[in-house]
Amino acid sequence: MYFQPEIETMPREELRKLQLERMRESLRNAYENVPLYRERFDAAGVTPDDLESLEDIAKFPFVVKQDMRDNYPFGMFARENADVARIHASSGTTGQATVVGHTANDLANWGDCFARGIAMVGGDENSTIQVSYGYGLFTGGLGAHAGGEAMGCTVIPTSSGNTKRQVQMLKDCKTDILACTPSYALLIADTAIEMGYDPATEFQISGGIFGAEPCSENMRQEIADKLGIQYCDAYGLSEIMGPGVAMECAERGGLHIAEDQFYCEIIDPETLEVLPDGEVGELVITTLTRECSPMIRYRTRDVTTINAEPCACGRTHRKIGRLLGRTDDMLIIRGVNVFPSQIEQVITEFPEIATQYQIILTMNGPLDHVELQVETEPDFPIDEVRRLEDLRNRLAAALKSNLQVAVDIKFVEPKTIARSEGKAKRVIDLRGENQ
Ligand SMILES: [Zn+2]
């Protein structure tokens, strides 16, 4: 049930003590060995000795991806070459690649973090895990592989591609757990079905650990149903480690952060203030044990919440909620931070409404005005005024309570909002234009 019970169920107070001790050590490692941190800390007038409580981390400056690019490739390493066991790199599709180094201890900790996810889907040393993430500079394949080995599983390193062979291995090798991206999991499931199998009943597979790309609630359900598995959402990023930073237990409702390894904060991306647990904002991560590439207050740009409620699974580590998008998507409406994905979440709770929507922002005098265009499902009696008004009122109330912003709702005929093959254009912001 747990991979490291003494750590995963550690009483909060003890855990916070461990975090503080490790955070001090991590700050020292960064300050003493990485010129960028020394310069930044000095400029901010702080030293590692100023950390007296976990919350004191807020005194320290942030780092961002650009800092890693500017110090490409090894400028932010805190270890000499002899101690670096491996490097990984981000793809660099949006600019200069970023390189992260791992010592042998870093790699061992990574394996442990991922192995906790294997336990969350019911795996143990008797399990067979098929790793269908790509192997290479990308952290998915080797991260999941390390997890399987840490747990003592039989690891099948298929990597991605050759999907029919993947299906055949799943079946013939009696794979229990599949690890890959959600879109690849769906392709594997569909390929198996095309090949004439019903993986949900004919295969032994019972768990899946999926991450590295966004996945909608519908797609997630489809994968879980087609493969007949418990779905574990894995969070991670190459700048911090890779998959395993946070993993979703069987209770769902969030991903347990490996809090003995990472300290997470949620900040307002505009004011940079730390927000209390439960509020929506940008996830900021400080690594507590990483030797080669310590990250102090790394701004992930990922938008989520931290849930500190006790979890029925018995793990004491706080959870992050589903990712709600990137900070780049954030809108500021009447001074309130709003993410389009928050609106989407509300809409999905209304079965009468299709998932397509559009947000149109205009100025109404000095105030922002928000119009939300939604389509009713084709079988909804859009001519029945009373039912339509009832739906409008319920939707408006739900939006108001979730966003703290009043929204004007406009119903449009089914299939009138433009569909897009790629990223849908959800927001039309006309506030900067003359009206
Ligand atoms: Zn849990």
Side-chain angles (χ1 to χ4, degrees):
M1 175 175 195
Y2 307 117
F3 175 63
Q4 292 166 304
E6 70 292 349
I7 293 169
E8 292 174 77
T9 64
M10 186 178 273
R12 293 275 333 151
E13 211 160 298
E14 219 177 294
L15 181 62
R16 283 175 58 86
K17 235 185 247 168
L18 177 70
Q19 286 187 304
L20 182 60
E21 216 171 275
R22 289 182 169 180
M23 189 185 278
R24 260 193 213 120
E25 197 47 51
S26 192
L27 285 173
R28 253 182 231 128
N29 180 30
Y31 188 70
E32 284 165 13
N33 299 309
V34 182
L36 173 124
Y37 285 116
R38 178 168 287 262
E39 283 161 28
R40 293 271 174 89
F41 290 9
D42 286 348
V46 286
T47 73
D49 294 333
D50 292 321
L51 187 90
E52 283 169 15
S53 71
L54 287 172
E55 287 69 27
D56 282 345
I57 192 69
K59 297 177 183 167
F60 290 81
F62 297 103
V63 285
V64 295
K65 193 161 186 160
Q66 190 60 41
D67 294 322
M68 302 177 75
R69 292 194 182 119
D70 293 345
N71 289 281
Y72 172 87
F74 306 138
M76 286 179 74
F77 281 19
R79 287 292 180 276
E80 298 295 333
N81 203 13
D83 293 324
V84 182
R86 194 199 296 160
I87 63 163
H88 278 278
S90 71
S91 58
T93 45
T94 54
Q96 172 79 60
T98 56
V99 173
V100 168
H102 306 256
T103 65
N105 285 336
D106 293 337
L107 293 175
N109 284 332
W110 186 4
D112 288 346
C113 287
F114 196 95
R116 293 178 198 175
I118 295 175
M120 287 177 196
V121 294
D124 59 24
E125 67 277 10
N126 299 306
S127 306
T128 296
I129 181 170
Q130 185 164 329
V131 180
S132 309
Y133 276 116
Y135 280 63
L137 287 172
F138 169 61
T139 52
L142 286 160
H145 190 104
E149 289 191 339
M151 177 60 90
C153 299
T154 305
V155 183
I156 310 180
T158 47
S159 192
S160 55
N162 204 341
T163 310
K164 280 190 178 162
R165 191 183 64 185
Q166 300 268 3
V167 171
Q168 212 56 52
M169 303 278 300
L170 268 183
K171 177 177 177 288
D172 298 342
C173 300
K174 300 189 167 45
T175 298
D176 303 288
I177 298 166
L178 177 67
C180 58
T181 61
S183 57
Y184 198 48
L186 191 56
L187 181 63
I188 289 173
D190 285 336
T191 304
I193 292 163
E194 268 168 37
M195 289 165 71
Y197 298 120
D198 177 7
T201 58
E202 293 172 36
F203 291 8
Q204 182 151 325
I205 181 170
S206 59
I209 302 175
F210 306 122
E213 66 184 19
C215 176
S216 71
E217 194 54 42
N218 289 345
M219 180 166 153
R220 174 193 163 109
Q221 197 57 49
E222 192 178 346
I223 294 166
D225 291 345
K226 282 182 173 167
L227 291 175
I229 51 159
Q230 180 194 329
Y231 188 116
C232 167
D233 187 4
Y235 177 73
L237 56 175
S238 68
E239 293 83 1
I240 292 294
M241 180 176 81
V245 173
M247 298 291 230
E248 184 185 26
C249 70
E251 301 297 326
R252 301 188 59 172
L255 290 67
H256 288 284
I257 303 157
E259 286 202 285
D260 56 317
Q261 308 279 342
F262 306 100
Y263 182 77
C264 290
E265 304 167 271
I266 295 288
I267 63 162
D268 180 317
E270 281 293 303
T271 66
L272 308 182
E273 291 294 316
V274 179
L275 300 174
D277 286 346
E279 290 201 18
V280 177
E282 179 179 343
L283 180 65
V284 170
I285 303 178
T286 296
T287 63
L288 302 179
T289 60
R290 296 193 64 73
E291 295 175 338
C292 183
S293 294
M295 286 290 151
I296 308 299
R297 303 197 88 202
Y298 181 75
R299 292 187 60 183
T300 64
R301 307 277 168 195
D302 287 322
V303 174
T304 185
T305 54
I306 291 181
N307 174 2
E309 297 292 311
C311 185
C313 76
R315 290 178 181 83
T316 51
H317 298 203
R318 293 181 302 167
K319 297 190 277 193
I320 53 170
R322 273 191 63 155
L323 295 192
L324 293 167
R326 305 279 295 164
T327 51
D328 317 322
D329 304 329
M330 186 176 82
L331 306 168
I332 301 178
I333 301 173
R334 297 195 183 187
V336 178
N337 301 342
V338 174
F339 297 93
S341 47
Q342 286 178 283
I343 296 177
E344 194 166 322
Q345 270 203 334
V346 173
I347 292 175
T348 54
E349 286 161 22
F350 287 80
E352 306 94 324
I353 297 172
T355 48
Q356 303 292 330
Y357 67 94
Q358 203 151 46
I359 301 159
I360 296 161
L361 298 171
T362 52
M363 294 303 290
N364 186 1
L367 290 175
D368 299 321
H369 177 258
V370 190
E371 178 179 291
L372 173 67
Q373 296 190 351
V374 287
E375 298 173 358
T376 51
E377 285 291 352
D379 57 357
F380 185 84
I382 198 164
D383 304 331
E384 288 182 28
V385 176
R386 199 180 292 167
R387 283 189 64 183
L388 193 64
E389 283 315 301
D390 169 62
L391 178 61
R392 183 196 308 278
N393 292 338
R394 284 187 292 121
L395 179 58
L399 288 166
K400 177 85 194 170
S401 92
N402 275 276
L403 310 176
Q404 320 303 326
V405 169
V407 175
D408 247 351
I409 293 158
K410 185 176 175 193
F411 289 107
V412 296
E413 294 284 323
K415 307 218 183 293
T416 50
I417 294 173
R419 265 67 172 166
S420 144
E421 292 281 312
K423 203 172 145 89
K425 178 118 179 101
R426 296 297 188 202
V427 181
I428 299 177
D429 194 343
L430 303 171
R431 290 178 296 180
E433 303 185 6
N434 294 324
Q435 295 175 50

